[in-house]
Amino acid sequence: MRLTRFTDVALRILMRLAVVEEGGAPTTREVAATMRVPYTHTAKVVARLQHLGLVEARRGRGGGLALTGAGRTASVGGVVRELEGAGDVVECEGDTPCPLLAACRLRGALRRAQEAFFAELDPLTVTELVASPTGPLLLGIGATRADAG
């Protein structure tokens, strides 16, 4: 299974915001630059995370992005499920349905494998993702980008 770029960026944004120090709420543009993701894509991801209640975005002077309490304790598996959707790994129906559809064992096996993938991520929270050595590295990336600018 491969995550979409959208989900990958969302997880990286959540991780970055999880290590933001007090009073240091970065803007969407700053997060995009730090994570090396196009601003427009980052803005779409931030809007979705905001809609899910994981990120708070404040406009204007003193504004920026902040992880909500729900964002800090969010299950990584839950976030991935929400962003990826619950669709099948393979397209069995549609314009040209698979001829094995009526008696296929692969579809069920792939569905179980997908659920096992999510289940492995379920107990992991966003806060746990940024435990050492990841958190300090994320802080270093932000500091390096800010110092260079």
Side-chain angles (χ1 to χ4, degrees):
M1 182 169 166
R2 183 181 179 112
L3 297 180
T4 61
R5 177 90 168 129
F6 191 91
T7 301
D8 173 43
V9 170
L11 291 172
R12 289 194 278 154
I13 289 170
L14 291 173
M15 291 169 65
R16 178 65 183 103
L17 294 178
V19 298
V20 169
E21 295 167 336
E22 189 68 31
T27 65
T28 301
R29 196 166 299 281
E30 290 168 343
V31 170
T34 301
M35 296 286 107
R36 297 183 183 142
V37 177
Y39 169 75
T40 54
H41 191 64
T42 304
K44 290 175 188 175
V45 173
V46 166
R48 179 78 167 115
L49 294 173
Q50 191 176 4
H51 177 75
L52 294 173
L54 304 174
V55 170
E56 178 182 284
R58 294 179 304 275
R59 292 179 179 257
R61 188 174 185 178
L65 303 175
L67 199 59
T68 64
R72 290 191 183 285
T73 60
S75 159
V76 175
V79 171
V80 172
R81 267 189 196 88
E82 187 66 40
L83 297 176
E84 291 289 318
D88 288 326
V89 175
V90 294
E91 177 86 24
C92 297
E93 300 177 33
D95 293 340
T96 55
C98 176
L100 302 175
L101 188 60
C104 182
R105 296 179 65 186
L106 177 61
R107 184 177 186 183
L110 290 173
R111 188 173 292 129
R112 287 188 301 278
Q114 179 183 28
E115 187 50 42
F117 173 80
F118 290 136
E120 187 66 28
L121 296 173
D122 281 340
L124 190 60
T125 66
V126 171
T127 297
E128 291 170 328
L129 284 179
V130 297
S132 189
T134 307
L137 177 64
L138 282 165
L139 284 172
I141 291 171
T144 301
R145 303 279 302 174
D147 293 345

